[in-house]
Amino acid sequence: MTISGAAASAPRWRLVAREGEDVVITTVDADLDVTHVQRRPRERWWDADDAGTRWVWSETNRWYPGILATPSLVARCHDLRLAHAILRRSALVADADALRAATQWDVAGKEEAQPLTAPTLFDVEGTSPAGVPDDPEEVLAEFRRQQLAIRGSSNAARLRLLVAAESAGALLAVEMHSAGVPWDRRTHERILEETLGTRPSPGEQPERVREAAQRVRAALQDPSANLDSQPKLLRSLHRVGISAESTNRWELAEYDHPAIAPLLVYKKLTRLMSANGWGWLDEWAADGRFRPVYVPGGVVTGRWASSGGGALQIPRQLRPAVRADPGWTLVVADVAQLEPRVLAAMASDDALAGAARGQDLYEGIVNSGVVRTRQEAKIAVLGAMYGATTGDSGRLVPALRRAYPRAMGLVDAAATTGEQGGVVSTWLGRTSPRATAQWRDVQAAAALPEATESDRTRARRAARDRGRFTRNFVVQGTAAEWALAWLADLRGRLAALPPVGANDAARNSAAVFERRPHLAFFLHDEIIVHTPVVYADAVADAVRQAADGAARLLFGRFPIDFPLDLRVAQDAAKS
């Protein structure tokens, strides 16, 4: 399939690097030849007229924060480090030897690092090494390596689109950190007080936490039970006949004992206290803005991660604290069943796409007579994508295979490839990590004539685990690509709206965002836009149009819906 707009010829690029006290700007044409070199003082290198330039730099989070402070927005960039991580591993690249040899551009500490079975879908790639090159010659050399790799690949259009989307995401990550999520301290404090009690003195617990702890210790008949140490808590539980092997709330809930209910309450309260209590509020949202540190491409599938503040774990309970400034509002949108819809489009499965068209996908599967209830449909779909083989998932997945053979065939084939030690790729060409040498050694040991049954069992388990990983890699990774396309399109539409009068209430945010709608938050399939009220309808339309545009960009005319749960409200509370 040809991806619309992805194969356009490259315009001139401007590479930015540092040399001594100067910033060196190297202009490169479409043939990768240098046409101009300019030096500017490091303190005054940026000019507002440069905003429309297609910049190439080592890392967006090293160069862009200073530009935002001017204040200016960059239209487009090429992030060399993020692109390097994609291209050096992509199965679409015919010859990646030169990229793999340029280890100075690798992410620190993650060179093919995987556990024995497989990397989890949520493994963070890590932070970049401090020594990522910023000198002009190495920046130019890496850019040429990357462009030659793309041009010589088996699908240059898709890789160009993937690298462009990844780089746009890097710009947005810096922008969202700078703008921050509007956060109402009084609402947050009210929720904490209603849930935990008044703020305690340093080193003490809130009153409701203490009360729950007292009830647990009374039920355990152990006044000195340590509820915060798992080994010690388990010993206390075992003494009263609760033979749990962990303090996981799902396992604890299986036991009928008077200590369980208050213990679950205690765990819930202390989790809120430690993750988003008063200390979190003082550290992360003291100025009325929550400024998480996003890590684009931080997960092996291309999903984002966060290196601070728990941006990817804002609990439902605290979402009312995400509140727009006076005169502004929030446009909150999330995609229904993003990954199954992406799977239908990738597989060109008209039947599954038909079940999703104009309705809840799980309800559509029920209406098609495949399963009886929405819950069964959800269990079956998630089981198919994540490789569940037992319980309800194992019972229901065969029905999906009969109803949607193309979609199920795609994930089954990805699983088989993984089990055999191969790699799989997303729609645009991000490729899974290779099987580790340790994994291959386990498989080889099981094939030896003297192998024991234990060796063979271990190898089968490792193969199944890797197959589950690759099964979902292709879906989760392509969903991340759709989300990046959505974000990049929306970013452009928001930038096209003219700024309004300055907003005094937002004086603590970056000046560039005080007068215009901007993305404030992103989590996998959900976005929050902070906008002046006057632009609320225009922003809502832009969010919908960007979602439609992302679908067309990736999947052309294939008839798949990506419906949005979109609401315009003063806060981000979920009903």
Side-chain angles (χ1 to χ4, degrees):
M1 176 184 294
T2 299
I3 299 177
S4 174
S9 59
R12 294 190 310 164
W13 305 82
R14 300 183 77 189
L15 285 60
V16 59
R18 291 173 179 163
E19 190 171 72
E21 295 302 313
D22 293 335
V23 168
V24 178
I25 299 173
T26 304
T27 303
V28 176
D29 63 19
D31 294 325
L32 305 182
D33 293 327
V34 175
T35 61
H36 186 259
V37 178
Q38 181 183 17
R39 290 179 177 272
R40 297 181 185 177
R42 183 181 297 187
E43 296 78 9
R44 302 186 305 277
W45 78 272
W46 174 260
D47 189 296
D49 292 338
D50 295 329
T53 297
R54 187 186 291 262
W55 289 102
V56 178
W57 47 43
S58 56
E59 291 181 296
T60 302
N61 60 3
R62 290 161 69 93
W63 288 91
Y64 196 27
I67 296 172
L68 281 180
T70 57
S72 299
L73 291 174
V74 167
R76 295 176 297 184
C77 81
H78 178 99
D79 188 304
L80 288 170
R81 187 186 65 80
L82 289 175
H84 179 89
I86 291 170
L87 296 173
R88 67 178 297 279
R89 182 179 286 162
S90 178
L92 300 184
V93 174
D95 183 2
D97 288 348
L99 286 167
R100 295 192 186 107
T103 56
Q104 65 271 34
W105 291 92
D106 291 344
V107 176
K110 289 293 292 186
E111 175 63 19
E112 303 300 344
Q114 304 170 50
L116 170 64
T117 52
T120 79
L121 290 165
F122 303 97
D123 271 351
V124 175
E125 290 281 0
T127 56
S128 62
V132 166
D134 254 342
D135 64 278
E137 289 187 5
E138 182 51 43
V139 166
L140 176 59
E142 175 64 15
F143 181 63
R144 283 173 169 162
R145 283 191 289 265
Q146 293 185 11
Q147 291 301 303
L148 291 174
I150 292 173
R151 294 177 187 185
S153 68
S154 59
N155 198 319
R158 294 196 181 196
L159 282 179
R160 285 196 189 100
L161 179 54
L162 177 55
V163 168
E166 189 88 338
S167 298
L171 291 172
L172 271 167
V174 175
E175 290 172 3
M176 288 192 291
H177 172 77
S178 180
V181 181
W183 202 273
D184 186 77
R185 184 181 185 93
R186 287 178 296 180
T187 300
H188 190 147
E189 289 177 329
R190 174 181 55 78
I191 293 170
L192 292 179
E193 290 173 1
E194 290 175 352
T195 307
L196 302 172
T198 57
R199 183 171 188 169
S201 299
E204 295 185 359
Q205 291 181 320
E207 55 190 294
R208 290 191 178 85
V209 177
R210 293 198 307 271
E211 292 168 358
Q214 290 168 0
R215 291 196 298 273
V216 175
R217 293 186 178 110
L220 293 175
Q221 298 181 353
D222 184 357
S224 62
N226 188 330
L227 308 186
D228 301 315
S229 166
Q230 177 167 302
K232 293 179 180 179
L233 176 57
L234 285 174
R235 284 198 291 271
S236 295
L237 294 173
H238 294 166
R239 281 195 290 269
V240 296
I242 301 172
S243 56
E245 296 181 0
S246 76
T247 57
N248 182 288
R249 61 192 177 107
W250 303 113
E251 183 176 356
L252 291 175
E254 296 177 359
Y255 294 91
D256 182 15
H257 189 278
I260 297 300
L263 178 56
L264 293 177
V265 170
Y266 177 84
K267 287 172 64 67
K268 181 178 180 180
L269 296 179
T270 54
R271 185 165 52 250
L272 174 63
M273 176 71 179
S274 61
N276 297 100
W278 290 276
W280 181 95
L281 186 56
D282 292 340
E283 179 179 2
W284 288 98
D287 65 348
R289 289 291 188 272
F290 170 36
R291 303 182 193 278
V293 180
Y294 295 101
V295 183
V299 177
V300 293
T301 58
R303 272 189 172 186
W304 285 18
S306 172
S307 66
L312 307 186
Q313 301 174 26
I314 297 176
R316 177 184 291 261
Q317 187 176 11
L318 287 178
R319 287 181 66 100
V322 180
R323 179 172 291 273
D325 295 326
W328 289 53
T329 192
L330 303 178
V331 178
V332 183
D334 56 78
V335 190
Q337 303 103 29
L338 174 58
E339 290 187 2
R341 294 171 189 275
V342 161
L343 173 57
M346 292 175 69
S348 297
D349 193 315
D350 292 304
L352 185 56
R357 192 165 302 123
Q359 61 185 333
D360 177 279
L361 180 142
Y362 300 133
E363 292 290 356
I365 292 175
V366 173
N367 295 337
S368 299
V370 179
V371 294
R372 295 175 300 172
T373 67
R374 186 184 186 279
Q375 182 63 16
E376 285 188 342
K378 184 174 183 179
I379 290 172
V381 170
L382 295 180
M385 291 192 302
Y386 285 89
T389 58
T390 60
D392 287 340
S393 292
R395 174 176 60 85
L396 295 168
V397 165
L400 286 189
R401 288 198 175 97
R402 291 190 294 272
Y404 312 115
R406 293 179 70 91
M408 297 305 106
L410 187 149
V411 289
D412 287 344
T416 299
T417 298
E419 291 171 0
Q420 296 172 349
V423 297
V424 295
S425 297
T426 62
W427 187 248
L428 295 183
R430 190 188 301 270
T431 298
S432 63
R434 293 173 300 208
T436 64
Q438 186 183 12
W439 186 93
R440 294 187 182 280
D441 288 345
V442 168
Q443 303 303 316
L448 294 174
E450 63 271 23
T452 66
E453 184 57 32
S454 177
D455 291 332
R456 289 188 284 272
T457 298
R458 188 181 184 211
R460 286 193 295 269
R461 183 183 304 114
R464 286 195 300 268
D465 288 345
R466 182 168 172 78
R468 281 193 290 269
F469 168 73
T470 53
R471 171 186 293 274
N472 191 240
F473 182 96
V474 293
V475 182
Q476 187 182 109
T478 303
E481 292 166 355
W482 181 93
L484 277 178
W486 182 31
L487 288 173
D489 190 318
L490 177 59
R491 179 178 183 265
R493 292 176 188 273
L494 296 180
L497 296 173
V500 298
N503 174 21
D504 291 338
R507 60 187 178 277
N508 291 323
S509 65
V512 72
F513 300 114
E514 291 182 2
R515 300 177 58 206
R516 61 173 64 250
H518 55 270
L519 277 152
F521 181 74
F522 166 57
L523 172 61
H524 306 326
D525 58 3
E526 179 186 12
I527 59 171
I528 298 177
V529 179
H530 193 210
T531 177
V533 170
V534 67
Y535 279 138
D537 291 341
V539 168
D541 288 342
V543 170
R544 296 187 186 95
Q545 291 167 7
D548 292 341
R552 290 194 300 273
L553 186 63
L554 264 67
F555 304 119
R557 296 183 179 180
F558 184 77
I560 185 67
D561 290 346
F562 289 93
L564 302 178
D565 176 10
L566 188 148
R567 55 204 181 278
V568 179
Q570 282 300 110
D571 64 47
K574 287 189 174 181
S575 57

